[in-house]
Amino acid sequence: MTDHSAFVAALRRLDAAAKLVDIPEETYVRLRHPKAVLTVSVPLRRDDGSLEMFTAHRVHHNDLRGPGKGGLRYHPDVTLDECKALAFWMTCKCAVMDLPYGGAKGGIAVDPKSLSQLELERLSRGLIRRIAEFIGPQLDIPAPDVYTNERIMGWMMDEYAHVVRRHEPAVITGKPLGLGGSQGRSDATARGGYVCIAKLAEERGWKPAETTVAIQGFGNAGQGIARLLAEDGYRIVAVSDSSGAIVSRDGFDVPSLIRAKNDTRKLEAVYCQGSVCDQVDAERISNGELLELDVDILIPAALEDVITADNAAEVQARVVLELANGPVTSDADDILDQRGITVIPDILANAGGVTVSYYEWVQNRSGDYWSAEDVRQRLEKRMAYQFDQVMRLAADNQVSLRVAAYALALQRLGEAAEAVGTRDLFNGKD
Ligand code: GLU
């Protein structure tokens, strides 16, 4: 493994947190070694009759606290190393939220926008046939991630049922409502982030109408948080997607922005084909420039590694809410910290998604389905509680929210490691 490994870089985050907690050394040993990895080749029969093979991975990082949990992404840059880092973050995220899960993640190295809808269905079903023995309601429960969505989860659940010859809705979360999905799952990631902002706003006495927000990434999470914040009166002054960014100092009308992105082009494919830039008449800037805008809140909601040691000194935002996984690199952490920028870390900020996934799994297993209001209240209560825990740990120890969130995760993982027995127990010192 080279120094450039995303997994090794992700583990570095444990170092500062380790100083705050007194847990068995063995916890770290366990976390440094993913439990199991699976790499498969998935054949796809293209619409023109040709056969193409795609590489896919699924990583079980750790299952001390419960079965693996985490998304499946479709992106050309998916690698095994990236999946390991993302699975590690899931272990920590589930621990921060005190969910009875470990961490897992996977994906296919594919550009899903190059596939027809039928090809996408065949590929998704093919993936499940390849990894069926590696997943299961008590083993590893996939969910949506970058460029996967509820329709794809529905196909996957259906395929899994064919493979195991029984209905198993709890094998996957983020499903359509008609197939056992949960109320409130589609905007859960955004709502979790929104709760973090609302809590911080309360503490800092922000007035929404005077608070400006830039959002990088206008997929499910980015659109959702734009909508929730705009409803409260926040000024969404910049948004971007993979084609570029747009800025409007007075703030965008978010519902029409979402409509422009999603409705104006054909929606018969599962992806929105439109770019916000093509649809809205506003000043265009680059994705890089959006990250450096002078705003109160910057929300990276797309991919990893967008704020790095190279551009962290240019970030002007007062607060960065990591709605994506891993948007700030560990080298950039210190720079932002020194400049007094508050970063609400991914393992807390975007944990609303996996939290409602957990609720979906509970509902599937009990057969008792909850109302949207019930789900929303449970999510808000849990997010607010864990947010307060992280804030308190950070204040008590004078560390960043990121270090505090990792310390909280380590504390809970350490308790689990202790409970299964450590060197002290087996040497009769416990
Ligand atoms: N992909 C989301 C994440 O990174 C959701 C995972 C899940 O619901 O299991 O947190």
Side-chain angles (χ1 to χ4, degrees), residues 69-71 90 93 105 141 143-145 173 185 325 350 353-354 357:
K69 186 85 193 79
M90 287 308 303
K93 193 186 301 184
K105 196 72 145 212
I141 306 117
D145 200 87
T173 59
R185 177 63 185 86
N325 287 306
N350 71 32
V354 71
S357 275

Side-chain angles (χ1 to χ4, degrees), residues 244-258:
I246 45 175
V247 63
S248 157
R249 273 288 144 196
D250 297 333
F252 287 108
D253 174 49
V254 170
S256 40
L257 208 56
I258 293 178

Side-chain angles (χ1 to χ4, degrees), residues 58 68-73 86 90 93-94 101 104-105 141-146 148 173-174 185 189 323-325 346 350-358:
R58 185 75 187 166
K69 186 85 193 79
L72 277 170
R73 64 172 56 180
L86 289 159
M90 287 308 303
K93 193 186 301 184
C94 292
Y101 289 138
K105 196 72 145 212
I141 306 117
D145 200 87
V146 173
T148 52
T173 59
R185 177 63 185 86
T189 306
L323 216 49
N325 287 306
D346 48 5
N350 71 32
V354 71
T355 301
V356 177
S357 275
Y358 164 59

